[in-house]
Amino acid sequence: MTINVNWQGDCRFKVITEDGFEVFIDADSKSAPCPTEILLSALGSCSATDVTLYFKDNDIELKALNNCVTYHLTENEPRLYKSINLHFSIEAKVTEPQVKAAIEEAINKYCHVCLMLQPTIDITYSVEIIN
């Protein structure tokens, strides 16, 4: 796999994936998300994808899903992610144990981004079920 990162001036870059998708990144967060925001976006969307797939595989109709990613940084430079919480708001006819099972499988078994980050970052979750 190949990802091309093309400098666009200042601290801005255009990222082109192997399939030709484009993402813009700005380390100054003036015209696009910064690289660490992209990383958090990948974590949030990857874990949410695996939760939705769990629901699909278990014939649970999902009406809406939101994953709000919050984080804490270390005190000293470089300011790294110390902990991250994934807050899932889910609208579906589902029980809390079903939701927790879906999220725990996503975080601990299927989400590649979670699995890559977990050795050094504490990843937790919280849940809001909307029936």
Side-chain angles (χ1 to χ4, degrees):
M1 292 183 115
T2 302
I3 292 182
N4 232 331
V5 179
N6 297 304
W7 180 61
Q8 303 290 294
D10 293 326
C11 292
R12 296 182 320 272
F13 299 88
K14 179 169 71 170
V15 177
I16 305 170
T17 68
E18 191 167 38
D19 290 329
F21 296 107
E22 295 181 0
V23 177
F24 292 90
I25 298 175
D26 182 355
D28 292 329
S29 292
K30 292 179 182 173
S31 64
C34 72
T36 54
E37 289 171 321
I38 296 291
L39 178 62
L40 287 179
S41 300
L43 174 63
S45 58
C46 181
S47 57
T49 297
D50 290 320
V51 169
T52 61
L53 290 173
Y54 178 96
F55 286 170
K56 181 180 178 184
D57 291 346
N58 288 280
D59 295 321
I60 299 169
E61 183 184 346
L62 181 63
K63 293 180 182 172
L65 183 145
N66 181 65
N67 189 3
C68 181
V69 181
T70 56
Y71 60 92
H72 290 97
L73 298 172
T74 58
E75 296 294 322
N76 300 321
E77 293 292 335
R79 306 274 322 263
L80 305 174
Y81 292 122
K82 180 178 180 179
S83 63
I84 297 172
N85 185 69
L86 306 172
H87 180 75
F88 288 88
S89 296
I90 295 172
E91 185 176 350
K93 290 187 183 193
V94 64
T95 66
E96 189 170 331
Q98 287 173 311
V99 172
K100 287 185 175 185
I103 295 170
E104 288 176 14
E105 278 196 17
I107 291 173
N108 298 314
K109 189 175 180 181
Y110 294 112
C111 174
H112 295 91
V113 181
C114 286
L115 296 172
M116 285 187 272
L117 296 177
Q118 272 182 336
T120 56
I121 299 170
D122 181 31
I123 299 174
T124 58
Y125 71 89
S126 51
V127 175
E128 175 187 6
I129 300 172
I130 304 162
N131 287 321

